[in-house]
Amino acid sequence: MRVWTLLWTLLWTLGLLLKEVQTWSYQNGIFHNSIWLEQAAGVYHRESRKGRYQLTYKEAIAVCKYEGGALATYDQLEAARQIGFHVCSAGWFDKGRVGYPIVKAGANCGFGKIGIIDYGYRLNKSERWDVYCYNPDAKECGGVLTEPERVIQSPGFPEEYQDEQICYWHIRVKLGQRIHVRFLEFDVEDDTDCLADYLEIYDSYDDVTGFVGRFCGDYLPYDILSTGNVMTLKFLSDASVTGGGFQLLYKAVNASMVSHNKDYFN
Ligand SMILES: *[C@@H]1O[C@H](CO)[C@@H](O)[C@H](O)[C@H]1NC(C)=O
Ligand SMILES: *[C@@H]1O[C@H](CO)[C@@H](O)[C@H](O)[C@H]1NC(C)=O
Ligand SMILES: [Ca+2]
């Protein structure tokens, strides 16, 4: 009986350790999709609002243009990859070529290879893929945030944000903590489905899984509490009409201290 209890404790501890290793393997942001390193390389991955692999070549060009950029060239994609841009989705890039950047070899992605996984120049431009854009003019915004507490603002705040901005903030606090977001100010071009300008929040370290909500207009959104120790915020503005922007505060809270009635900000 006692042996079983011991064994169980051991397995449980091992499980926790493994979980910890897994979470911290996010370090440097290279283990996951759509890690935003705009400041370093200007390259970013987009998929259609309809989902993965939905863009023809013509539509791919339009997506990048809509966001103020252009299709990335092979060299731009490679430069981004060299500083950790790792995405497991094939996308169009310059001159009708398709591929994706792999930093870390994995069985599920990139056939175990490292580099630009290149599907070559596609003869059939009606094929549907994601896209890799390049936008060197986007204001510096976003990044990987690890502080336990911090204010996040739209680019240029308290000035109005500009057209054609795109920012990703990936928040990662300590294991065992959760992230509590409180909006302080919010004024983003209003539009029925928030298709023009918006702030999106994801309960994950990428902008693929864990979608929480898309916000626009001038109502202050409610507080948001992550389920784990990571969160992603994405801000995008289109080619016309701006707004006052937004300001929010996030705080790391110990998961064990979380209760529904508590106000962590006081
Ligand atoms: C081109 O690709 C599209 C989408 O996959 C397909 O429907 C179409 O038949 C292809 N055209 C040719 C000529 O192979
Ligand atoms: C959260 O947990 C850490 C480590 O367990 C501890 O040092 C810290 O004081 C805790 N913070 C709060 C606000 O309870
Ligand atoms: Ca706009």
Side-chain angles (χ1 to χ4, degrees):
M1 194 65 196
R2 194 173 164 79
V3 172
W4 281 115
T5 314
L6 260 174
L7 195 65
W8 181 243
T9 311
L10 192 71
L11 281 174
W12 191 70
T13 313
L14 203 69
L16 277 183
L17 280 175
L18 278 177
K19 209 167 151 204
E20 179 152 5
V21 167
Q22 225 171 43
T23 306
W24 284 106
S25 70
Y26 285 131
Q27 239 160 12
N28 305 325
I30 58 168
F31 274 43
H32 229 285
N33 285 351
S34 290
I35 297 306
W36 180 248
L37 291 170
E38 185 269 330
Q39 292 94 330
V43 172
Y44 57 96
H45 163 233
R46 308 289 301 128
E47 63 178 21
S48 159
R49 286 182 172 134
K50 287 181 278 180
R52 197 181 202 210
Y53 295 165
Q54 296 290 335
L55 300 168
T56 64
Y57 182 53
K58 210 172 146 194
E59 288 164 346
I61 292 171
V63 164
C64 297
K65 201 165 164 223
Y66 170 81
E67 293 171 357
L71 289 178
T73 63
Y74 184 95
D75 289 346
Q76 285 160 352
L77 195 56
E78 172 59 15
R81 193 195 68 79
Q82 299 229 349
I83 55 155
F85 191 65
H86 172 99
V87 186
C88 192
S89 296
W92 293 103
F93 51 101
D94 197 36
K95 299 196 167 68
R97 211 161 165 179
V98 167
Y100 53 98
I102 292 299
V103 172
K104 173 100 187 152
N108 301 327
C109 194
F111 315 102
K113 282 188 269 185
I114 288 176
I116 305 294
I117 309 300
D118 191 356
Y119 291 3
Y121 298 95
R122 311 308 292 173
L123 293 176
N124 184 350
K125 302 284 194 288
S126 303
E127 288 177 358
R128 293 177 184 275
W129 305 99
D130 290 352
V131 61
Y132 290 97
C133 306
Y134 177 68
N135 184 356
D137 298 325
K139 269 216 169 19
E140 283 213 355
C141 60
V144 174
L145 313 180
T146 56
E147 299 95 326
E149 176 175 340
R150 181 157 162 176
V151 169
I152 293 178
Q153 299 174 328
S154 49
F157 193 91
E159 304 290 313
E160 290 200 352
Y161 60 84
Q162 294 176 7
D163 291 330
E164 299 179 330
Q165 300 299 308
I166 180 164
C167 318
Y168 284 76
W169 292 269
H170 299 283
I171 307 173
R172 185 185 62 235
V173 297
K174 290 203 173 106
L175 193 68
Q177 293 188 321
R178 295 167 73 179
I179 299 158
H180 190 151
V181 169
R182 169 156 299 174
F183 288 88
L184 306 173
E185 286 177 68
F186 199 82
D187 177 21
V188 169
E189 180 188 359
D190 203 3
D191 166 74
T192 318
D193 294 316
C194 297
L195 290 178
D197 304 351
Y198 58 82
L199 176 70
E200 277 185 345
I201 298 199
Y202 292 82
D203 190 20
S204 71
Y205 204 58
D206 61 31
D207 64 334
V208 178
T209 57
F211 177 76
V212 172
R214 176 183 288 188
F215 306 95
C216 67
D218 56 8
Y219 284 105
L220 211 54
Y222 290 119
D223 286 10
I224 292 166
L225 183 62
S226 69
T227 58
N229 66 323
V230 293
M231 190 182 258
T232 294
L233 281 66
K234 172 165 75 171
F235 174 67
L236 184 143
S237 64
D238 67 1
S240 65
V241 186
T242 64
F246 64 85
Q247 179 169 221
L248 59 86
L249 172 66
Y250 83 76
K251 273 191 185 181
V253 294
N254 286 352
S256 57
M257 308 261 301
V258 170
S259 86
H260 289 292
N261 306 323
K262 202 163 167 149
D263 192 339
Y264 307 98
F265 291 89
N266 292 324

